[in-house]
Amino acid sequence: MRAVLQRVSRASVTVSGEVVGQIGRGLLVLLGVEPDDTEADVHQLADKTIQLRIFDDADGKMNLSLAEIGGAMLVVSQFTLLGDCRKGRRPSFIGAAPPELAEKLYETFVAAVGVQGIPVATGRFRAMMEVELVNDGPVTMLLDSRKRF
């Protein structure tokens, strides 16, 4: 499972002209699911994302987590994170999980975040989405459940 985390002052997702998810200060998480991902990967990644200290403290140092600042999370499914661009000029997406598994684990991730008291908004799975964000910093981090934390 791969995730791109972007620290934001605000972010939103629009589908067919309708805002389906939006947050203020927090994290925009672009989430890609691989075929052999499990619920253990989901919970490990959710915990790491919530507890990662990438928000500034009073001294301007990255020392606070999403939970500590009372921030929110906007989670957007993105299979293209698993695109393989090594051969040719067109990415291969065979490394992405089939939609049924990806949707199940995506929803499990969203629930795992919400159960920890983090306000969570989402995009719409398998929809063409417009994602808007104001990256705070900018701060962008990559997490991969295959690379154990």
Side-chain angles (χ1 to χ4, degrees):
M1 187 168 278
R2 291 185 191 160
V4 174
L5 314 179
Q6 294 183 298
R7 187 177 79 180
V8 299
S9 54
R10 68 179 181 280
S12 66
V13 177
T14 302
V15 175
S16 300
E18 173 193 358
V19 175
V20 296
Q22 63 183 359
I23 63 167
R25 186 174 185 214
L27 291 174
L28 168 63
V29 177
L30 306 175
L31 186 69
V33 179
E34 296 175 273
D36 54 352
D37 284 337
T38 65
E39 287 197 18
D41 292 301
V42 169
H43 292 289
Q44 176 191 20
L45 193 65
D47 290 343
K48 184 69 168 188
T49 301
I50 291 167
Q51 298 303 324
L52 196 61
R53 298 181 335 171
I54 59 173
F55 291 89
D56 294 347
D57 64 14
D59 295 324
K61 293 187 181 192
M62 283 191 202
N63 202 27
L64 300 174
S65 69
L66 182 67
E68 291 171 317
I69 66 149
M73 190 182 299
L74 175 59
V75 184
V76 176
S77 141
Q78 190 167 1
F79 77 94
T80 59
L81 289 177
L82 301 161
D84 184 347
C85 299
R86 292 177 292 176
K87 292 184 180 179
R89 296 179 185 213
R90 183 174 179 215
S92 169
F93 297 106
I94 61 172
E100 299 76 25
L101 174 63
E103 185 171 17
K104 176 183 177 266
L105 293 181
Y106 167 79
E107 289 175 357
T108 302
F109 180 89
V110 170
V113 169
V115 94
Q116 292 192 47
I118 303 296
V120 62
T122 65
R124 188 169 294 153
F125 194 86
R126 293 185 89 176
M128 180 60 75
M129 295 175 273
E130 295 176 356
V131 180
E132 290 188 59
L133 68 134
V134 176
N135 194 317
D136 178 24
V139 173
T140 303
M141 302 288 171
L142 304 173
L143 295 178
D144 189 328
S145 65
R146 303 271 179 276
K147 298 176 182 176
R148 294 294 168 200
F149 333 116

